[in-house]
Every structure is written in structure tokens, then in C-alpha cells.
Amino acid sequence: MQWFNVGKIVNTHGIKGEVRVISRTHFPEERYAVGSRLALFMPESKTPTYLTVESHRQHKNFDLLTFENHFGIQEVEKYRDGILMISEKELGELDDNEFYYHEIVGCTVFTTDGVELGQVSEILETGANDVWTVTPKTGKQHYIPYIEEIVKEIDIDEKKIIIDPMDGLLS
């Protein structure tokens, strides 16, 4: 089974069993909804502990969570540095032309002329649109903005992306 990181517990918050989470998900309302079940992986542990979200709120740059049957700080401080994850079957459906990062990373990018540019090795969040780092077998990396004018086709099953690069994009 494949697991996906949704957040890291970095500290406790107060004395009533709340934990402070740095979120790694674009769907915190869904992932941290009351009743959601999360797998907690502690460093150097291969077996998860399953926790059910009892409450969720945001404070500054953190998501604050409490878990069912955890009533005080002493019951949750052992979770510090743990990674909250969900399984692949819990990912959910996305709208058209939306993809999970793990679906894009590793895809091979070609131009509309059939020239192979390399594989997507990283996705950068810039605010306006994502930018894909494409790493060729040799040479320098390319930075491809994920916009309709450039990205023409994405085939997740074939791990293949076709782009129509504008002038200067690949130089």
C-alpha cells in the first residue's frame, strides 16, 4: 500500500491534547475533518498508529488537531515529529485537468515535435500556477509552467506529457 504525507506534527498546543501540524495537503478541510482517520508514522517506525480527528482549527500557519480518546498534553506529546498520512484509496477524485503531484512527478515530457525533454522531478508552487522542473538525462533543467498554452496533453497511465514550448522557454 502506498502512503501520502498530509502533515507533520511539530509540537503540542496548550494542555488539552491539541497538536500543531505543518500541513502538506491542499485539502486540509477534507483531511482534517472531524471523524477523519489518519495514519501516524513515527520516525524509524514502519507500522502506523491510527488516529481519528476530533477537532480541527487553524491558528497562524498551523493546523491544530485533537484526536479521539486523547485528553491531555501528556497523551499527545509522544506524537511530536510524527508524519500524518493517508492511504492511496483515500485520495479522492479530482476535477478535470487536476492531478496529484505524485501522478505528475516521474512523467516524461515531450515537445509536440516528439523531442524528449526529460522527466518531471519536482513541482514548484508559485501562486499563479505550478511550475514543473523537468530534468533531462544530460544538460540543464527546464522549468515548465503548468498552463493551457504550454501543456497540451497529460497521459497519467502512460506517464507522458506533451508540451508546446513558447519561444525562449527551453533556452
Side-chain angles (χ1 to χ4, degrees):
M1 180 181 309
Q2 193 170 4
W3 294 94
F4 297 95
N5 183 347
V6 296
K8 179 179 182 179
I9 297 175
V10 294
N11 211 341
T12 58
H13 186 84
I15 61 170
K16 295 184 179 180
E18 230 172 1
V19 294
R20 192 177 295 182
V21 175
I22 294 178
S23 190
R24 295 283 181 248
T25 178
H26 286 105
F27 311 103
E29 310 80 28
E30 181 181 327
R31 301 294 177 226
Y32 307 138
V34 173
S36 293
R37 190 166 176 244
L38 300 171
L40 175 71
F41 286 86
M42 295 305 297
E44 301 177 22
S45 174
K46 305 239 184 282
T47 308
T49 299
Y50 291 95
L51 300 169
T52 302
V53 176
E54 186 170 273
S55 71
H56 169 238
R57 66 186 178 106
Q58 293 184 313
H59 177 68
K60 298 186 180 176
N61 293 330
F62 299 99
D63 286 280
L64 303 180
L65 303 176
T66 59
F67 302 111
E68 287 182 1
N69 302 316
H70 291 75
F71 304 107
I73 187 172
Q74 57 276 43
E75 294 180 39
V76 295
E77 55 190 354
K78 64 185 174 195
Y79 297 148
R80 185 178 304 156
D81 295 327
I83 305 296
L84 296 169
M85 300 187 138
I86 60 166
S87 69
E88 57 193 328
K89 65 183 179 197
E90 298 170 286
L91 286 176
E93 295 295 318
L94 296 176
D95 293 334
D96 290 341
N97 297 319
E98 288 186 339
F99 303 92
Y100 288 107
Y101 285 6
H102 72 273
E103 294 176 314
I104 298 298
V105 172
C107 286
T108 303
V109 179
F110 296 88
T111 65
T112 51
D113 298 332
V115 176
E116 183 177 329
L117 298 176
Q119 287 190 337
V120 178
S121 57
E122 183 181 14
I123 298 176
L124 308 171
E125 295 180 34
T126 64
N129 55 267
D130 289 343
V131 175
W132 299 342
T133 303
V134 177
T135 305
K137 291 176 182 160
T138 61
K140 67 177 188 157
Q141 294 177 325
H142 303 290
Y143 297 95
I144 309 299
Y146 178 44
I147 55 176
E148 275 184 39
E149 294 80 28
I150 294 178
V151 179
K152 298 302 180 186
E153 183 181 328
I154 299 173
D155 186 336
I156 295 302
D157 296 329
E158 295 292 323
K159 299 295 276 180
K160 181 178 179 180
I161 297 171
I162 298 174
I163 67 164
D164 186 10
M166 63 175 79
D167 289 341
L169 183 66
L170 302 176
S171 47

